[in-house]
Amino acid sequence: MNGFSWVCPYCGHAATIRDEDMCSYDSILYIKNTDGYRCLTSVFIVCPNAKCRRFTLTATLRQLESVFRPNGSGRPDYSGRPILREWSLIPESKAKSFPDYIPKPILDDYGEACLIRDLSPKASATLSRRCLQGIIRDFWRGKVKPGRLAREIEQLEGLVDDDTWQAIDGVRSVGNIGAHMEEDINVIVDVEPHEAQLLVELIEILLKEWYVARQQKRLHLEAIRKLSAEKESARKVERDKGSRS
Ligand SMILES: [Zn+2]
């Protein structure tokens, strides 16, 4: 296999996964039954990043029209067959890893929204709305007047850059999400699975564009300050030497 692109859920490293990074096994339901033949493929992937090397485990259930047993001539390829279910077993959800300088309640809501996204889109969307409100109230403290989530979002226009605003506004216009932001965040409302997914993705964008970007800027400025302080003290030493000689 030529390898495929993959992003590690633990360290965020983007990598190309090759044969030596993964192993997969097929388990076939070949007994005749009313639902049809099935293939369950379990896949282990080990992160190629030398500093990480953690593994993920996923399982995929596929529908088979027929079962043929190989007679010692290699393994049949079922990868093109229709997928019925997919599970992320380790880690349990597709939540991305974010640094711990982001407040814990926000990361907890985000993690749980990811965890139950497939099982219960409406519970996931409810957690996402709460997470979204938590982010806005924490990150824009003093700049956004607390109220209904929809009103708080409206106040962001002009505060945030155009691209981020387009992303927020875009998600609001999908399906029932906009209407749900009018509701109290604790009201559980029906949403389609793809709407729950969009909310999770919006949260990921905001965590990255706001918290991570702010921290990177801080570190960058700190490094510049440190460097100029070092240069200044080096100049001072030179000056002192000069005045003594
Ligand atoms: Zn990794």
Side-chain angles (χ1 to χ4, degrees):
M1 202 161 75
N2 283 329
F4 57 90
S5 305
W6 178 84
V7 176
C8 175
Y10 303 107
C11 69
H13 185 82
T16 302
I17 297 301
R18 305 193 185 280
D19 285 346
E20 58 267 34
D21 304 312
M22 63 179 286
C23 42
S24 71
Y25 306 93
D26 290 335
S27 167
I28 310 292
L29 169 61
Y30 55 80
I31 304 165
K32 247 188 172 348
N33 67 89
T34 49
D35 297 307
Y37 302 117
R38 296 287 185 266
C39 171
L40 179 75
T41 308
S42 56
V43 179
F44 287 101
I45 295 178
V46 175
C47 177
N49 175 10
K51 287 188 187 138
C52 176
R53 300 298 289 167
R54 295 186 70 186
F55 77 84
T56 65
L57 171 61
T58 53
T60 308
L61 186 67
R62 289 189 169 85
Q63 182 185 329
L64 304 182
E65 294 79 43
S66 57
V67 172
F68 53 98
R69 294 196 204 181
N71 42 8
S73 55
R75 178 177 149 188
D77 183 8
Y78 295 122
S79 60
R81 304 301 165 89
I83 294 173
L84 299 172
R85 292 282 302 272
E86 280 179 291
W87 297 270
S88 181
L89 300 172
I90 299 174
E92 265 188 282
S93 85
K94 294 205 172 94
K96 296 194 165 71
S97 74
F98 283 101
D100 55 12
Y101 52 72
I102 296 173
K104 193 172 178 296
I106 289 173
L107 290 181
D108 286 350
D109 279 349
Y110 162 71
E112 282 175 40
C114 290
L115 194 62
I116 53 163
R117 191 183 55 202
D118 298 331
L119 209 58
S120 170
K122 60 182 177 183
S124 172
T126 303
L127 279 160
S128 284
R129 286 184 304 152
R130 190 170 84 168
C131 184
L132 196 54
Q133 188 164 64
I135 292 171
I136 294 171
R137 289 185 177 182
D138 174 67
F139 197 86
W140 298 101
R141 199 179 308 147
K143 296 204 172 81
V144 166
K145 217 169 116 229
R148 287 271 157 116
L149 181 56
R151 301 288 92 74
E152 293 178 23
I153 289 173
E154 278 163 14
Q155 295 173 63
L156 292 175
E157 192 179 7
L159 276 181
V160 303
D161 65 89
D162 272 357
D163 288 342
T164 312
W165 175 250
Q166 299 291 339
I168 297 170
D169 207 32
V171 172
R172 282 203 303 175
S173 63
V174 175
N176 288 323
I177 293 178
H180 293 161
M181 288 182 176
E182 296 285 343
E183 300 282 349
D184 185 272
I185 53 151
N186 295 313
V187 175
I188 294 175
V189 283
D190 260 326
V191 292
E192 298 291 324
H194 75 275
E195 294 175 327
Q197 169 61 17
L198 267 175
L199 280 169
V200 162
E201 285 173 16
L202 177 63
I203 288 167
E204 289 168 350
I205 289 173
L206 298 183
L207 294 179
K208 209 166 134 245
E209 292 300 319
W210 293 350
Y211 288 97
V212 176
R214 179 175 69 183
Q215 180 71 2
Q216 279 171 348
K217 190 177 168 190
R218 273 181 188 162
L219 291 176
H220 188 202
L221 292 177
E222 207 175 283
I224 291 175
R225 267 198 299 272
K226 220 174 131 192
L227 197 70
S228 51
E230 277 166 15
K231 279 199 174 142
E232 182 52 38
S233 70
R235 263 200 299 271
K236 195 169 174 290
V237 170
E238 284 303 312
R239 269 201 308 271
D240 291 351
K241 264 196 220 159
S243 64
R244 273 200 300 271
S245 62

